[in-house]
Amino acid sequence: MELSIDDILTLGPIPESLHPTFLRVANGLMQRGNYPREKVMGLLAQMLQNPKKYAFSKNKVTNLAQSVYELTKQGIAIPLSEMGATYLPAESAPYVLGTEQKQAENAFELREGPLPYAVFGRDFIEEGALKQMHTAASLPVSVAGALMPDAHQGYGLPIGGVLATEANTVIPFAVGVDIACRMCLSIFGLRPDFLKREPHMLKKALVEQTKFGIGGETRDKIDESVMDLPEWQATKVIRDLKDKAYRQLGSSGTGNHFVEWGIVNVYADDATQTGLNLPPGEYLALLSHSGSRGFGGNVANYYSKLAMQKTKLPKEAAHLAWLDLNTQEGQEYWIAMNLAGDYASANHHEIHRKLAKALREKPLVMVENHHNFAWKEQLADGREVIVHRKGATPAGPDVLGIIPGSMTQPGYVVRGRGNVDSINSASHGAGRLMSRTQAFNTITRSQWNKALVEADIQLVGGDLDEAPMVYKDIDNVIEAQRDLVTVLAKFTPKIVRMADANRKEGRED
């Protein structure tokens, strides 16, 4: 049942000139957005309570809010009525941390030598990554470590590094800047020839239904429920970032972030035990890679600096400073990190829902996993630890994950084997062969275009720092971790969307 103007006027003295606009927006939300009546009235009530906020952010009532805000600047206010105020959401109860104890500043030395740690695919790993892992395994709080075959040098812990530390310690830089960077795969009940029949439609859907870039924001959202989590009220750092997070919900970053159509080949020899519950064969699929956007990046920067102020380490280990989870600072980061995980997952779900809607299909199966995160886990000997996987995929017994290659190389759906030496982990991709600077200085656009043509790839966006030749051979990387994962399916990219070239913008991967 549509809202009437009498319903709208219960919110306040709406000027007659705005009656048609209020009705169009309200009933549009109900009809096209499937919003229930109460939610529409609540959103309009919030907008009237603070029109400036809604006028200067991308949301479902931005244009209407701008009209209302223009009237307020002319001295024509639209006060929210007592009845309208009843539609406002109840104020959240204050979020209480488990402790008010502050973390003291302390200085620590490294161990005389590192703990022993496993290295998988050593032949493919650069010396800088090995040196960083050596330093990480020398921390006084380190308990165990492992290095994946896609490893390369990063900040603090190498990308592809896995580090278990004492149960009360978390290292922000060992999680990474893009907290909860994540893979998500949707497999549809459409055969591969759909790609040949409808390439223009699929490409058009990628362009219209995705948004990339550091400042990327989305207006239309299908499911905003992640923004209702109580953790958004937990700390000032989180509260200050909530509006930005809302605006960016459903968007992707820069660097190696992508959304792509491709073909998934589910292998026959594992059809009864994959966890995919799909008959063997080839299917149309959608694969995405991105994280927690500006929210996660700001959280990482704030708490990495804070950790380095609280935990003083020798210069070569400075970025491996930790926060104590028994203190306020540690609990704040832990809450923010886990919230970033929920938010990153919601980002992917928004993207996949929009593209599934454009396709007019529902996925048969969805597989997803984080690879920049910290988990509370137990080692094989029963010790409670915090396991940091910076560019590493969880690969516990029967845990499903996705290991992508590059824009011209396949990716793989895998099932973890629970390898103790790898701390239940696997690689998160192929891994880089060269830095971004090296890529820009050595690869030509003609080489890049030739690689795309040879692989029959349509690319929208991207730049030379993500050219296929900057990555290791994914099949060598997979072969080096046969003891860590079982390969269940192969994903071959065909239509790839990445951030447009903008070298001034920086990278978020």
Side-chain angles (χ1 to χ4, degrees), residues 124 126 152 430-435 438 468-473:
F124 309 122
E126 63 189 13
H152 55 95
R432 295 186 73 93
L433 280 172
M434 62 180 77
S435 69
Q438 287 175 310
M469 52 282 290
V470 310
Y471 285 97
K472 301 174 186 179
D473 187 318

Side-chain angles (χ1 to χ4, degrees), residues 166-209:
E166 293 174 1
N168 66 323
T169 55
V170 63
I171 303 172
F173 256 117
V175 169
V177 174
D178 189 7
I179 300 174
C181 194
R182 187 175 182 87
M183 300 300 308
C184 188
L185 174 73
S186 287
I187 302 176
F188 296 93
L190 294 171
R191 296 304 173 190
D193 61 357
F194 188 87
L195 262 166
K196 294 180 180 179
R197 295 198 316 270
E198 299 287 351
H200 299 299
M201 184 275 279
L202 294 173
K203 184 175 180 180
K204 182 172 182 279
L206 278 183
V207 172
E208 292 180 349
Q209 302 300 330

Side-chain angles (χ1 to χ4, degrees), residues 342-363:
D342 293 333
Y343 176 74
S345 178
N347 268 335
H348 283 274
H349 290 183
E350 277 290 293
I351 294 165
H352 283 242
R353 286 190 186 105
K354 287 177 179 177
L355 285 163
K357 186 177 180 181
L359 193 62
R360 297 181 181 177
E361 291 280 335
K362 290 186 177 180

Side-chain angles (χ1 to χ4, degrees), residues 461-488:
D463 206 347
L464 294 176
D465 58 335
E466 285 298 323
M469 52 282 290
V470 310
Y471 285 97
K472 301 174 186 179
D473 187 318
I474 184 63
D475 290 321
N476 288 338
V477 171
I478 292 294
E479 188 61 36
Q481 53 188 327
R482 290 291 178 180
D483 292 338
L484 312 186
V485 294
T486 299
V487 175
L488 308 181

